């Protein structure tokens, strides 16, 4: 313990004082960095900007929330939004993402707490209370105690806390990328749904025309009841499909709205009528190495292994003695001599060392636990690397494959269908074919348009997933096949 009065001998307490000084030697810059309200967030924002092109924000006050709400409203209210706008709004306005950033703040606070080092303990004692002849007390004792083990391991514990803090930054970045990926995919699905619904509506209009014609020809006796029923049934089936498409598109847009965190007046936004056309793409040869270098979840797994290794080494150092405390102090006594009070400091110095006696627990169990935890983290990291490589290969296959399929529909199928319809129209004008054959060719072309739109949707989903696989926040390959969520709406300019 350290004496309480400056008149006490200082040399006797040099060891404890030096230990306390060393414990407080955490650089002021580190303390300032960790105590910042936005500690660690700059790395999260940089990762989001690199991977998505959008800006992430951390809202920590009512004023921040209010200003951000106005910014979001300006981006979406009454406007037709792009995929990039949907991603930006999601990063600004998704409150679940803001809750995830709170975990980053908690990790910063934990690292800050470790950097401050443990506080010393102050001890005061008064003996002989109530002794009237000595005016209140006879002996006054005082001192300060410090945990020597905590002080000597301060550097190691700071390093462990820093690794955990860096991992928390990567986890926050991964959550940011996940929300961005969800928003982009939801926008693609929503736009594709409205585009498909529009094509279904066009097909239904053709079927309705054929049904009306069949009814008129049936009145004249030219068309039998079975042929009339076939046309009516086809038109009725398409009416049901259109209703399904309408509902599916509305639900898809609602999913996009949820991810962007919109409600109230901000619900008045639109999406385009159709997805963009196919871009030209260049084959990527180094996609696996890009994923291994860029994936934030893989980097987080590496930091977890480092933290477990540091914990293990620290546990090895303290396996036998887990707590050592040094205490030093002295006392002042008040005595009566010839009727007069005298206060005297004793010449002796009291030193105490307290530690656990490793009779039953030698620390072997804790050491074994550390070994197992390290091997577990090492295996998890190795498996994560395997998964990342596989996900990158699968995403690349989906990306190039869906592009090839969509290009096939665009360059081969649709031109053929257009040629068939044009020739059918010439034949009809020349009275070589009848109206129903012309309508059948038109319906077939529209069905091909639906397949092309579905293939184009699959490519854009695969493209969004490719970005997620390279940086983090995703991992599943894009779905294949036609159909998809669709819906129709009446607005000609957006939905």
């Amino acid at each position: 313990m350290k004496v309480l009065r400056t008149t006490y001998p200082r040399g006797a307490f040099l060891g404890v004082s030096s230990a306390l000084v060393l414990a407080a030697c955490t650089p002021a810059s580190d303390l300032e960095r960790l105590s910042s309200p936005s500690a660690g967030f700059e790395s999260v924002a940089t990762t989001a900007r690199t991977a998505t092109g959008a800006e992430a924000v951390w809202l920590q006050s009512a004023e921040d929330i209010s200003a951000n709400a106005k910014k979001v409203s300006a981006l979406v209210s009454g406007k037709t939004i792009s995929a990039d706008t949907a991603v930006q709004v999601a990063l600004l306005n998704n409150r679940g993402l803001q809750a995830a950033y709170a975990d980053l703040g908690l990790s910063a606070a934990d690292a800050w707490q470790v950097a401050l080092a443990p506080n010393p303990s102050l001890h005061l004692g008064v003996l002989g209370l109530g002794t009237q002849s000595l005016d209140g007390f006879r002996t006054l004792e005082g001192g300060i105690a410090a945990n020597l083990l905590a002080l000597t391991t301060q550097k190691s514990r700071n390093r462990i806390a820093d690794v955990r803090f860096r991992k928390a930054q990567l986890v926050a970045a991964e959550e940011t990328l996940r929300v961005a990926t969800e928003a982009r995919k939801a926008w693609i699905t929503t736009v594709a749904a409205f585009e498909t619904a529009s094509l279904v509506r066009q097909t239904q209009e053709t079927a309705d025309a054929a049904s009306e014609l069949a009814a008129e020809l049936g009145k004249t006796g030219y068309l039998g009841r079975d042929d009339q029923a076939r046309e009516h049934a086809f038109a009725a089936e398409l009416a049901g499909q259109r209703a399904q498409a309408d509902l599916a598109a509305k639900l898809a847009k609602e999913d996009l709205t949820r991810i962007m965190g919109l409600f109230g007046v901000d619900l008045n936004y639109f999406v385009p009528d159709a997805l963009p056309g196919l871009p030209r793409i260049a084959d990527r040869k180094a996609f696996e190495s890009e994923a291994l270098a860029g994936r934030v979840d893989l980097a987080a797994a590496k930091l977890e292994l480092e933290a477990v290794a540091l914990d293990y080494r620290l546990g090895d150092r303290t396996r036998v003695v887990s707590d050592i405390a040094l205490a030093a102090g002295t006392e002042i006594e008040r005595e009566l001599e010839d009727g007069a009070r005298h206060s005297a400091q004793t010449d002796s110095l009291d030193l105490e060392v307290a530690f656990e006696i490793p009779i039953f627990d030698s620390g072997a169990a804790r050491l074994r636990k550390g070994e197992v935890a390290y091997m577990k983290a090492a295996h998890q990291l190795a498996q994560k690397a395997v998964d990342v490589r596989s996900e990158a290969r699968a995403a690349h296959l989906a990306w190039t494959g869906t592009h090839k399929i969509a290009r096939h529909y665009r360059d081969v199928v649709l031109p053929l269908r257009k040629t068939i319809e044009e020739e059918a129209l010439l034949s009809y004008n020349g009275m070589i074919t009848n109206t129903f054959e012309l309508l059948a060719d038109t319906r077939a072309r529209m069905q091909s348009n639906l397949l092309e739109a579905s293939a184009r949707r699959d490519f854009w989903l695969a493209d969004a997933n490719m970005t997620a696989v390279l940086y983090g926040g995703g991992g599943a390959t894009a779905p294949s096949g036609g159909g998809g969520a669709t819906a129709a709406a009446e607005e000609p300019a957006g939905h």
Side-chain angles (χ1 to χ4, degrees):
M1 282 183 284
K2 189 175 179 181
V3 296
L4 300 178
R5 297 168 57 93
T6 57
T7 56
Y8 292 171
R10 291 178 294 175
F13 309 106
L14 184 59
V16 176
S17 300
S18 299
L20 291 173
V21 171
L22 290 174
C25 284
T26 301
S29 59
D30 288 348
L31 293 177
E32 183 178 357
R33 173 177 60 88
L34 294 173
S35 61
S36 171
S38 58
F41 185 71
E42 180 56 35
S43 66
V44 177
T46 300
T47 300
R49 192 180 307 116
T50 301
T52 69
E55 296 293 332
V57 297
W58 189 358
L59 308 176
Q60 302 189 55
S61 67
E63 292 76 12
D64 290 344
I65 295 174
S66 177
N68 187 72
K70 294 179 181 178
K71 184 176 181 180
V72 168
S73 183
L75 288 173
V76 300
S77 184
K79 297 181 179 179
T80 299
I81 64 172
S82 65
D84 290 338
T85 301
V87 171
Q88 181 61 81
V89 171
L91 296 193
L92 292 176
N93 206 45
N94 188 290
R95 301 302 281 271
L97 184 58
Q98 295 299 318
Y101 292 157
D103 292 333
L104 177 60
L106 293 174
S107 180
D110 289 340
W112 182 16
Q113 184 68 59
V114 172
L116 292 176
N119 292 323
S121 300
L122 174 65
H123 303 276
L124 292 175
V126 179
L127 302 179
L129 288 173
T131 305
Q132 295 180 357
S133 60
L134 294 181
D135 294 337
F137 69 90
R138 181 176 180 180
T139 304
L140 175 64
E141 296 179 339
I144 293 178
N147 189 319
L148 291 184
L149 190 64
L151 299 178
T152 57
T153 59
Q154 178 69 40
K155 185 176 180 180
S156 296
R157 292 186 294 108
N158 280 346
R159 187 177 176 187
I160 293 172
D162 180 67
V163 171
R164 298 289 187 192
F165 179 46
R166 285 188 285 137
K167 178 186 175 182
Q169 295 174 52
L170 292 172
V171 171
E174 182 182 12
E175 181 64 14
T176 303
L177 297 180
R178 185 192 65 80
V179 171
T181 301
E182 282 193 4
R184 187 172 295 276
K185 288 184 175 181
W187 182 90
I188 292 169
T189 300
T190 302
V191 175
F194 283 111
E195 181 178 6
T196 302
S198 177
L199 293 173
V200 170
R201 182 172 63 250
Q202 295 175 30
T203 305
Q204 185 199 8
E205 290 172 356
T206 303
D208 288 343
S211 178
E212 292 175 3
L213 177 60
E216 292 298 324
L217 292 177
K219 294 178 182 178
T220 64
Y222 179 80
L223 199 65
R225 294 183 59 186
D226 55 343
D227 290 330
Q228 295 179 54
R230 290 188 185 94
E231 296 298 332
H232 296 334
F234 183 72
E237 289 171 354
L238 280 176
Q241 292 177 19
R242 179 179 177 181
Q244 289 177 331
D246 287 343
L247 176 60
K250 292 174 183 177
L251 292 176
K253 187 178 179 183
E254 185 58 40
D255 188 46
L256 175 61
T257 300
R258 175 187 57 80
I259 295 171
M260 293 193 297
L262 301 178
F263 60 92
V265 295
D266 292 335
L267 296 179
N268 182 32
Y269 74 93
F270 307 98
V271 295
D273 291 324
L275 288 172
L278 290 178
R280 296 178 63 89
I281 64 172
D283 194 16
R284 308 177 73 157
K285 301 296 184 182
F287 56 90
E288 281 190 57
S289 59
E290 288 182 44
L292 289 174
R295 283 285 287 265
V296 292
D297 53 343
L298 185 60
K302 293 177 182 177
L303 287 179
E304 176 62 22
L305 180 63
E306 181 180 348
V308 171
L310 292 172
D311 279 332
Y312 173 73
R313 285 196 286 270
L314 180 61
D316 190 26
R317 291 174 56 188
T318 60
R319 60 175 299 198
V320 176
V321 180
S322 60
D323 191 22
I324 303 177
L326 173 64
T330 188
E331 62 183 26
I332 297 177
E333 292 186 354
R334 304 177 71 178
E335 300 178 349
L336 287 176
E337 183 177 346
D338 297 331
R341 295 189 303 273
H342 299 277
S343 296
Q345 178 181 319
T346 61
D347 294 333
S348 63
L349 175 67
D350 298 327
L351 291 174
E352 297 180 4
V353 177
F355 59 89
E356 293 182 357
I357 302 176
I359 297 177
F360 305 107
D361 183 6
S362 65
R366 287 186 286 112
L367 192 61
R368 174 57 180 164
K369 183 178 180 180
E371 293 174 351
V372 173
Y374 178 81
M375 291 307 302
K376 176 183 177 181
H379 289 310
Q380 287 176 333
L381 176 59
Q383 183 61 48
K384 188 66 178 177
V386 172
D387 292 344
V388 166
R389 286 177 176 273
S390 177
E391 289 169 3
R393 292 192 299 269
H396 185 262
L397 284 173
W399 186 60
T400 55
T402 54
H403 188 272
K404 183 178 180 180
I405 294 170
R407 195 170 65 246
H408 171 75
Y409 277 102
R410 182 195 66 185
D411 298 341
V412 178
V413 176
L414 292 187
L416 287 175
R417 283 297 178 187
K418 182 179 180 181
T419 299
I420 292 172
E421 187 179 24
E422 290 173 349
E423 293 298 322
L425 181 59
L426 292 175
S427 298
Y428 175 76
N429 291 335
M431 295 184 170
I432 300 174
T433 58
N434 59 39
T435 304
F436 293 106
E437 290 175 340
L438 176 62
L439 292 174
D441 289 333
T442 302
R443 289 199 298 263
R445 180 181 62 82
M446 291 184 176
Q447 181 62 30
S448 296
N449 288 339
L450 284 169
L451 293 175
E452 186 275 335
S454 178
R456 188 158 26 91
R457 177 210 61 187
D458 289 346
F459 165 74
W460 284 113
L461 288 175
D463 184 71
N465 191 68
M466 190 69 174
T467 301
V469 166
L470 292 178
Y471 292 98
T477 57
S480 61
T486 60
E490 300 303 327
E491 298 89 356
H495 306 276

